[in-house]
């Protein structure tokens, strides 16, 4: 780490010295050097300097161009990404049209605790009738997003592919992506 910092400082120092030496040589060549004795050396040096100036100007123009492109294009990129994201996520209308259920557990028969009935009781959705009650096996009564077992009274949402989740879990998911997290089927019941 110390070696790295030392190297960076040396690099900066050599850059500064190089720049100063370059400016000094450039002024000396143009204004004070007597080139009548060695015209070839003069023109050769001038050609090297011209190449340096050319690449320096090119670098500055490139920086300005890239900075301008970044400043002007960034809002467009943000709008474009927002558009792409809005295409992928489910709309609020689509989410609210999914059938809601309340999870209910009724105790099993006396002496048979494993015989508990787990049911999804329809809660109704926007006046539409998704009214059939569903019976769940206890091993299927969990949410594959938060990996928790359903608790009595919790609200569930059923997707068109017949997969069900906690309402809060699947709504968060659908706000990002309009597909079932398990089978990738599109959630667009109105289409
Ligand atoms: Zn969940
Ligand atoms: Zn599914």
């Amino acid at each position: 780490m110390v070696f790295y910092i030392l190297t960076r400082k040396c690099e900066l120092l050599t850059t500064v010295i190089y720049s100063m030496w370059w400016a000094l040589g450039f002024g000396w060549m143009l204004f004070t050097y007597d080139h009548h004795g060695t015209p070839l050396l003069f023109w050769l040096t001038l050609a090297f300097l011209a190449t340096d100036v050319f690449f320096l100007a090119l670098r500055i123009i490139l920086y300005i161009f890239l900075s301008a492109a970044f400043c002007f294009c960034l809002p467009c990129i943000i709008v474009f990404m927002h558009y792409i994201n809005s295409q992928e996520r489910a709309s609020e209308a689509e989410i609210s049209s999914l059938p809601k259920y309340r999870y209910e557990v009724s105790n099993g028969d006396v002496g048979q605790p494993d015989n508990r009935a787990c049911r999804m009781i329809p809660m109704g959705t926007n006046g539409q009738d998704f009214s059939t009650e569903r019976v769940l096996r206890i091993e299927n009564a969990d949410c594959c997003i938060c990996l928790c077992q359903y608790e009595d009274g919790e609200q569930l949402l059923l997707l068109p592919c017949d997969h069900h989740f906690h309402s809060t879990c699947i709504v968060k998911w659908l706000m990002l992506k309009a597909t079932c997290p398990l089978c990738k089927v599109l959630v667009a019941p109105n289409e």
Side-chain angles (χ1 to χ4, degrees):
M1 191 64 189
V2 177
F3 181 72
Y4 174 75
I5 294 169
L6 211 65
T7 314
R8 294 290 298 171
K9 283 192 187 305
C10 285
E11 187 188 355
L12 186 68
L13 190 69
T14 47
T15 307
V16 171
I17 292 172
Y18 166 79
S19 305
M20 286 168 66
W21 186 245
W22 187 89
L24 197 72
F26 191 75
W28 179 67
M29 274 299 300
L30 277 185
F31 304 115
T32 60
Y33 183 66
D34 179 16
H35 61 273
H36 295 297
T38 51
L40 191 63
L41 181 65
F42 175 76
W43 289 114
L44 190 66
T45 315
L46 209 62
F48 277 121
L49 284 172
T51 315
D52 256 4
V53 171
F54 172 75
F55 281 110
L56 184 68
L58 194 69
R59 201 186 299 178
I60 290 170
I61 290 169
L62 209 62
Y63 281 150
I64 292 171
F65 178 76
L66 286 179
S67 305
F70 183 75
C71 291
F72 286 114
C73 294
L74 194 62
C76 302
I77 292 169
I78 290 171
V79 170
F80 181 69
M81 295 302 286
H82 188 73
Y83 173 75
I84 295 286
N85 190 33
S86 69
Q87 294 292 298
E88 286 186 346
R89 71 182 180 210
S91 67
E92 282 185 24
E94 284 169 346
I95 294 172
S96 64
S97 67
L98 293 169
K100 292 186 184 67
Y101 290 85
R102 191 180 69 257
Y103 180 70
E104 263 192 23
V105 186
S106 60
N107 292 325
D109 299 337
V110 180
Q112 291 182 304
D114 291 342
N115 200 21
R116 290 182 304 168
C118 308
R119 294 180 302 157
M120 289 167 65
I121 313 292
M123 296 172 72
T125 307
N126 289 348
Q128 298 175 52
D129 187 21
F130 296 98
S131 55
T132 43
E133 188 180 302
R134 302 167 70 93
V135 178
L136 283 182
R137 295 165 66 90
I138 187 77
E139 60 267 29
N140 292 334
D142 49 18
C143 169
C144 296
I145 296 175
C146 65
L147 304 178
C148 293
Q149 191 136 39
Y150 298 144
E151 300 279 344
D152 191 33
E154 280 183 328
Q155 189 174 308
L156 312 180
L157 279 187
L158 184 72
L159 300 191
C161 54
D162 230 28
H163 285 130
H164 45 81
F165 307 89
H166 280 133
S167 177
T168 46
C169 295
I170 192 63
V171 166
K172 281 179 199 162
W173 171 273
L174 293 175
M175 295 296 277
L176 299 171
K177 213 162 179 54
T179 55
C180 170
L182 280 177
C183 64
K184 308 294 178 202
V185 161
L186 267 176
V187 178
N190 295 330
E191 290 177 6

